Amino acid sequence: HVQLVESGGGSVQAGGSLSLSCRASGLKYDRVMAWFRRAPGKEREGVAVVDSSGRTSYADFVKGRFTISKDVAKKELYLQMNSLKPEDTAMYNCARGRNQFSDFAKWSEFGVWGQGTQVTVS
């Protein structure tokens, strides 16, 4: 059974930090993995991605504040979020790319999704 399960969301004051985790099961951990978010009334947007070699990319709006990482042995993906802003409030989902070259600017290139974890910054 292919599954991604996020955890770690919650409520925090502006300037605070949260750490998200995403545990994978039933799938190979050999493709790009990414974090996306969607705020109410807004489009889903890519936040950060890590490829099979460990290379990372970030959306401009989180550069310097968020860090994506993974533990291949545990099949876990992480997102460390620092200096949080109210505009970071959103549902955060992890996702696996359809291949090794999936572009996190295009959510349609990701085929397996977690159910999401809510992050609220006030």
Side-chain angles (χ1 to χ4, degrees):
H1 179 61
V2 175
Q3 193 174 22
L4 295 173
V5 179
E6 302 95 335
S7 61
S11 297
V12 66
Q13 291 188 336
S17 298
L18 281 174
S19 182
L20 306 183
S21 298
C22 170
R23 176 167 293 181
S25 60
L27 54 79
K28 291 184 178 180
Y29 219 65
D30 58 353
R31 305 178 188 178
V32 297
M33 297 292 296
W35 287 97
F36 291 81
R37 71 184 189 186
R38 186 167 189 175
K42 294 188 176 182
E43 296 285 324
R44 178 185 287 124
E45 54 188 1
V47 175
V49 66
V50 57
D51 69 14
S52 57
S53 299
R55 288 182 295 244
T56 59
S57 294
Y58 298 89
D60 287 344
F61 52 80
V62 302
K63 280 182 180 177
R65 299 189 298 124
F66 291 12
T67 302
I68 189 171
S69 62
K70 64 179 181 177
D71 186 322
V72 176
K74 294 182 178 180
K75 289 190 176 180
E76 290 194 353
L77 181 73
Y78 309 103
L79 185 68
Q80 177 63 42
M81 304 185 294
N82 299 326
S83 302
L84 283 161
K85 305 175 181 180
E87 51 264 43
D88 294 318
T89 295
M91 179 69 74
Y92 284 71
N93 297 84
C94 63
R96 188 185 75 160
R98 297 185 187 277
N99 55 57
Q100 297 184 43
F101 309 103
S102 299
D103 181 355
F104 80 118
K106 303 174 183 177
W107 62 265
S108 61
E109 295 191 9
F110 289 75
V112 181
W113 293 80
Q115 83 290 347
T117 185
Q118 178 68 36
V119 171
T120 302
V121 185
S122 60

